[in-house]
């Protein structure tokens, strides 16, 4: 069995115009989905990331520059991740298909973790 990251991409303004009740309903669907994976022993980790976009580090001419994450014109941010266990990409994709994240302006990137130790 291998580990896979489900990287949850979304538009930066996803929660901007939602009521607290709507946000709680959405969060509840993620919690229920996560708990179902825990019961199946497929969940390894998962967290929501802050909406600020973090910091980006790049090397240019031998120097590291650090900039703030996406600016207001950015079309998407990485909103969170789940690490799951699956036999292969096929199973990982089938698990990702059930994630409540899919829909309006949101998408999931599935990546296999390459154990280097």
């Amino acid at each position: 069995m291998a580990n896979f990251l489900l990287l949850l991409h979304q538009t930066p303004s996803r929660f901007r115009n939602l009521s607290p009740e709507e946000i709680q309903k959405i969060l509840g669907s993620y919690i229920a989905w996560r708990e179902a994976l825990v019961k199946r022993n497929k969940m390894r980790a998962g967290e929501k990331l802050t909406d600020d976009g973090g910091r980006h580090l790049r090397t240019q001419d031998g120097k590291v520059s650090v900039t703030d994450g996406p600016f207001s014109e950015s079309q998407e941010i990485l909103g969170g991740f789940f690490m799951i266990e699956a036999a292969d990409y096929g199973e990982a994709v089938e698990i990702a298909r059930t994630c409540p994240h899919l829909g309006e302006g949101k998408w999931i990137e599935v990546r296999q973790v390459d154990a280097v130790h």
Side-chain angles (χ1 to χ4, degrees):
M1 293 293 241
N3 288 327
F4 291 83
L5 283 178
L6 308 182
L7 302 170
L8 310 181
H9 296 267
Q10 65 193 42
T11 58
S13 60
R14 177 168 183 226
F15 293 107
R16 193 169 291 152
N17 296 318
L18 298 178
S19 71
E21 295 80 18
E22 290 170 314
I23 292 171
Q24 287 305 310
K25 184 177 177 182
I26 291 169
L27 293 177
S29 66
Y30 283 88
I31 291 168
W33 183 78
R34 183 185 194 287
E35 288 173 356
L37 290 179
V38 168
K39 286 180 184 174
R40 292 173 51 203
N41 198 28
K42 295 293 183 181
M43 179 61 61
R44 296 297 167 257
E47 296 291 339
K48 180 193 178 304
L49 302 175
T50 59
D51 293 334
D52 64 9
R55 303 297 179 271
H56 295 208
L57 284 73
R58 288 183 170 79
T59 303
Q60 185 173 3
D61 299 325
K63 293 183 181 182
V64 176
S65 67
V66 180
T67 57
D68 289 342
F71 299 100
S72 60
E73 67 271 6
S74 177
Q75 297 297 311
E76 69 179 49
I77 60 170
L78 182 60
F81 70 92
F82 290 101
M83 182 183 290
I84 61 168
E85 183 178 276
D88 53 28
Y89 266 109
E91 183 183 12
V93 166
E94 287 308 310
I95 291 170
R97 284 180 190 270
T98 67
C99 182
H101 188 74
L102 291 173
E104 312 173 15
K106 302 174 300 248
W107 61 282
I108 299 173
E109 178 181 354
V110 179
R111 299 288 306 271
Q112 186 170 353
V113 176
D114 190 4
V116 293
H117 49 80

